[in-house]
Structures are given as structure tokens and as C-alpha cells.
Amino acid sequence: LISLLMYIMGFYSLHESLHQEVTKLLSRFFWAGENNKQKYHMVKWSEIYKPKDQGGLGVISSKRMNIALLSKWLWRIQTEEGGLWLQIIRGKYLRGQLLAFASRSGGSQFWQSVMSLLPILRIGTSIQIGSGAATLFWLDKWAGPRPFAERFVALFSICVRP
């Protein structure tokens, strides 16, 4: 069942209630005794989620895995790693634009799920200006550790065309 769930999470952002249900089923597996009787919790659930090298059991959070799998699509698009599927994405959703300027509304459920994570991609990346054509002045971190929108909130709030 986990394999099927992983496959689906690679294409769709699952609802929070579904992540909670998965966590509930996993916790029952670890904490239910015979005939579904409650067992004493010897370890906190947060400890079970930790990687094995940090003393946990290596159980993966479905929500974190969902974000990671969908973010991988963004990374592949950004770094242009792909064959036919990348050409399809470019033709259907990007339409000649860079990922930073792609429409965040409309499109398939897959595309909406992927685009909702674009801010996460920006957290762990930095921008090299080059010609500046692919740089978002207010939202990209191109002049320091934080984007200008965070550093100059009042100015960004009155900007007519950010």
C-alpha cells in the first residue's frame, strides 16, 4: 500500500486529512496489540519519524514525502532534466516562459500541486542574475539572504506591478 501511496504522492498533493489518516494507520501498526488493544507507548511518535542514524525507526512522514516528491518535479523543470515529459510540460504549461513566470492558476491537478510548491523551491535556492530575464526582482534572493519583498515590506505593499 505504501508503494501505491508513494506513486500517487509523486503526482498529486494529498489533502491534509489523508495524511492524518495515513499517520493514524501507521501509529496503529506500531501501537496496537492483539485484537487492536491499545499498547503502552514506549516512544513518542516524533522519535519514530526520525531517520535510523538519528535513533528513530526511519518511518517517513507522508506529508513531507508528498512535498519532496512534488518538489522534485520543480527541480527537474528548473534544471531542465528530462526528455519528452519536459517538452510536454513546456508546451502545455510554460508556453515559452520560464518557470518563475509560469501561471500558477489553472491547468491540471498535477500542475496546480507542483506550482503550489514553487515557494519551497525558492527557499533552498539562490539566483544568479545573468541577463536578469529570469529574475523576480521582489521575490528572488539575488541580493542577500532574503528577498526584497521580505526586507522592504512597506515598499513592496504599495508596489503597483511587483
Side-chain angles (χ1 to χ4, degrees):
L1 288 176
I2 292 293
S3 297
L4 181 60
L5 182 64
M6 291 290 187
Y7 178 79
I8 292 169
M9 288 191 307
F11 292 99
Y12 303 105
S13 181
L14 301 182
H15 193 270
E16 182 63 35
S17 63
L18 200 53
H19 290 298
Q20 290 172 357
E21 190 65 29
V22 168
T23 302
K24 189 165 84 174
L25 290 171
L26 284 172
S27 68
R28 280 186 188 160
F29 174 78
F30 285 102
W31 290 330
E34 292 181 24
N35 300 326
N36 275 337
K37 289 185 180 178
Q38 189 81 7
K39 286 198 299 189
Y40 178 71
H41 298 186
M42 304 280 274
V43 179
K44 291 181 183 178
W45 188 247
S46 60
E47 295 295 316
I48 290 175
Y49 267 146
K50 284 184 180 178
K52 289 180 182 179
D53 63 348
Q54 293 178 9
L57 295 179
V59 175
I60 300 169
S61 162
S62 65
K63 185 172 185 171
R64 288 182 182 175
M65 182 55 77
N66 196 189
I67 291 170
L69 291 169
L70 288 172
S71 297
K72 192 169 183 177
W73 287 107
L74 281 173
W75 181 253
R76 288 176 179 159
I77 294 167
Q78 186 71 27
T79 59
E80 299 183 0
E81 292 178 20
L84 179 60
W85 71 267
L86 185 56
Q87 292 173 18
I88 293 170
I89 294 288
R90 278 193 185 135
K92 185 170 183 172
Y93 300 115
L94 297 178
R95 297 186 184 115
Q97 295 181 333
L98 297 166
L99 183 60
F101 301 112
S103 174
R104 284 161 180 72
S105 61
S108 67
Q109 204 173 3
F110 162 74
W111 186 246
Q112 291 174 12
S113 297
V114 168
M115 291 306 289
S116 70
L117 296 174
L118 195 55
I120 289 176
L121 181 69
R122 288 201 173 108
I123 289 172
T125 58
S126 61
I127 302 296
Q128 289 184 344
I129 298 293
S131 69
T135 306
L136 298 175
F137 180 81
W138 288 103
L139 303 174
D140 286 333
K141 295 183 278 187
W142 58 273
R146 295 183 3 229
F148 282 162
E150 287 180 18
R151 292 166 59 189
F152 306 103
V153 177
L155 188 58
F156 180 67
S157 69
I158 61 170
C159 185
V160 177
R161 292 179 50 205

